[in-house]
Amino acid sequence: MAGTFVIAQGGGPTAVINQTVVGAVLEIRKTHPGARVLGSRHGVRGIRDGDYVDLSDMREDQLRLIARTPSAALGSTRDKPDAAYCELVLKGLQKAGADAFIYIGGNDTSGTQQILTDAAGGKIAFVHAPKTIDNDLVENDHTPGFISAAEFVAGAFLSVDLDFRALPGIYVGIVMGRHAGFLTAASAAWRLDGDSGPHLVYVPERAFSVDSFIEDVKATMAKHKRCIVAVSEGVSTADGRSLVETIVGSDKVERDAHGNVKLSGSDLNRAFEQALAEKLPGKRARVDALGYMPRGYIGAINPVDAQEAFDAGAFAVGVATEGGGSVALQYDGRETVFRKVPLSSVAAKTRHMPDDFMLKDASGLSETGLAYLHRLVPAKYQVGKPFV
């Protein structure tokens, strides 16, 4: 392959997405000496506008430092290219003399690469490198960014359960996850025993009912004298609408450029607070949205996650030399392996958490689900059993 690679980052930042950039840059230097490497600022928007940073000659120690830094060093975007936007992106790539475009991101990013592939007619190699804390890319056992975020969530719920043993009450933690509940399920990864929280886990794959939620909380309080709840921000009611959309109204909710409803925030918090106050008056209750904190927290960068993200970037360069595609992290029964899969197999598709990962009620994860999480997020701390 001739000599210009363009790299960009799309969607929500993570703790390890910069590892993928640096993995790609260093692999290009090794396998394509003298190649030019351009980092597009703010995803495809930078390509459209000709806004690049030249990574070709940046010192390796500087790149390694960026790799260890959370968030998206090149900047990101939620832009969703239509046909006209794609035409501008292609013109930008052509103007830059790009032979390959490596775009690091999740579902929407893979969809953009498929659109650009179809429009370019084989003249540029388009590669999707995986990234998402939601863990919802098909063809992948898990995705770079998930393990670190899952560690944060597991630690947060272990900590809050210990807190509420000391001062009993009800705690509801709202966790990121629009269509898939993997990250919310991670809240149960470090439970100490059958008495430990989270006692209730609600994910987008199961219909949510406020009335059932209240009954679940009442039963848990009667059994454990406290109730720790993990709930995905994307939980939906039986009619298929997100809970926040049901509460606020379809015509009043905020949406991003992809048409996605803004899920977390004050409306969802207030809905849970109001339900608890009305149905369980006098009970000590707290509702928190973990918000963006899990996805790029510098104190929970998992070394395996970081290495896999780096390796995904390096592997993406090989995929580019083969004409393009998507990088997938798969599990062969012993270890994580990297494979090239067609963009069409991943683009704009959503991987949901398997039904057998959850128990039939909301009380938590099955042995299958726990085994999956324990493989990726083994217990990190030794904690004494409280006396209360």
Side-chain angles (χ1 to χ4, degrees):
M1 177 180 291
T4 298
F5 289 78
V6 173
I7 302 174
Q9 298 167 309
T14 77
V16 298
I17 188 174
N18 291 328
Q19 291 279 3
T20 307
V21 173
V22 175
V25 173
L26 296 181
E27 183 68 14
I28 291 166
R29 289 183 182 180
K30 183 169 66 175
T31 58
H32 297 75
R36 188 169 59 144
V37 186
L38 301 178
S40 172
R41 292 188 174 96
H42 298 289
V44 287
R45 191 183 308 170
I47 297 172
R48 181 196 65 185
D49 299 339
D51 186 9
Y52 300 103
V53 56
D54 196 330
L55 303 174
S56 307
D57 300 317
M58 183 173 286
R59 293 202 326 259
E60 183 171 338
D61 63 327
Q62 293 178 323
L63 286 169
R64 296 279 186 182
L65 184 60
I66 288 170
R68 296 192 298 270
T69 304
S71 189
L74 290 171
S76 192
T77 181
R78 292 288 190 187
D79 288 2
K80 184 174 183 178
D82 56 14
Y85 197 133
C86 279
E87 184 177 346
L88 295 174
V89 172
L90 283 174
K91 286 181 178 178
L93 289 168
Q94 291 163 356
K95 186 175 181 180
D99 298 288
F101 173 34
I102 298 172
Y103 203 6
I104 308 162
N107 309 72
D108 292 325
T109 301
S110 63
T112 296
Q113 290 296 72
Q114 181 65 67
I115 295 170
L116 290 168
T117 296
D118 294 341
K123 296 179 180 178
I124 299 172
F126 293 93
V127 180
H128 166 245
K131 173 276 332 174
T132 173
I133 64 166
D134 288 350
N135 206 35
D136 61 350
L137 286 175
V138 299
E139 299 285 352
N140 286 265
D141 172 73
H142 60 280
T143 52
F146 170 71
I147 294 177
S148 296
E151 236 184 49
F152 180 103
V153 171
F157 277 88
L158 169 60
S159 301
V160 83
D161 181 60
L162 293 170
D163 185 299
F164 273 68
R165 286 175 187 260
L167 290 170
I170 303 163
Y171 179 84
V172 178
I174 302 170
V175 184
M176 293 184 79
R178 181 174 296 276
H179 300 299
F182 290 100
L183 193 58
T184 302
S187 63
W190 292 354
R191 290 176 66 182
L192 298 179
D193 53 33
D195 184 48
S196 298
H199 305 103
L200 301 172
V201 180
Y202 300 96
V203 295
E205 288 86 352
R206 301 276 181 88
F208 183 87
S209 161
V210 174
D211 291 339
S212 295
F213 162 72
I214 293 297
E215 292 305 312
D216 290 343
V217 172
K218 287 179 179 178
T220 302
M221 288 293 289
K223 181 177 181 180
H224 298 284
K225 311 306 179 188
R226 71 191 189 286
C227 181
I228 310 300
V229 181
V231 58
S232 295
E233 62 181 7
V235 290
S236 301
T237 48
D239 60 4
R241 293 196 302 165
S242 65
L243 182 59
V244 69
E245 193 175 2
T246 301
I247 295 164
V248 179
S250 300
D251 57 335
K252 296 180 181 178
V253 294
E254 294 182 49
R255 298 178 185 272
D256 65 16
H258 296 274
N260 297 323
V261 174
K262 178 185 175 184
L263 296 176
S264 60
S266 58
D267 290 324
L268 196 54
N269 284 41
R270 277 198 297 266
F272 280 103
E273 289 168 354
Q274 182 176 335
L276 292 168
E278 289 179 356
K279 304 295 184 180
L280 294 166
K283 296 292 185 183
R284 175 177 178 259
R286 172 81 182 199
V287 179
D288 286 333
L290 273 62
Y292 293 155
M293 288 295 290
R295 75 183 186 187
Y297 179 58
I298 197 168
I301 301 177
N302 179 279
V304 173
D305 196 19
Q307 187 63 57
E308 289 182 346
F310 182 93
D311 293 344
F315 191 85
V317 177
V319 173
T321 62
E322 295 174 6
S326 183
V327 177
L329 278 66
Q330 299 180 353
Y331 185 64
D332 68 0
R334 296 176 303 166
E335 61 183 358
T336 299
V337 295
F338 293 85
R339 294 195 172 103
K340 170 188 170 182
V341 298
L343 272 170
S344 58
S345 297
V346 181
K349 295 180 172 65
T350 299
R351 175 194 179 210
H352 296 283
M353 192 168 64
D355 189 59
D356 66 356
F357 275 29
M358 300 290 294
L359 298 175
K360 294 302 181 184
D361 57 18
S363 61
L365 275 67
S366 67
E367 290 301 317
T368 301
L370 285 171
Y372 172 80
L373 285 171
H374 289 159
R375 170 164 60 83
L376 298 176
V377 194
K380 188 175 181 179
Y381 303 104
Q382 289 187 330
V383 180
K385 180 69 184 291
F387 304 119
V388 291

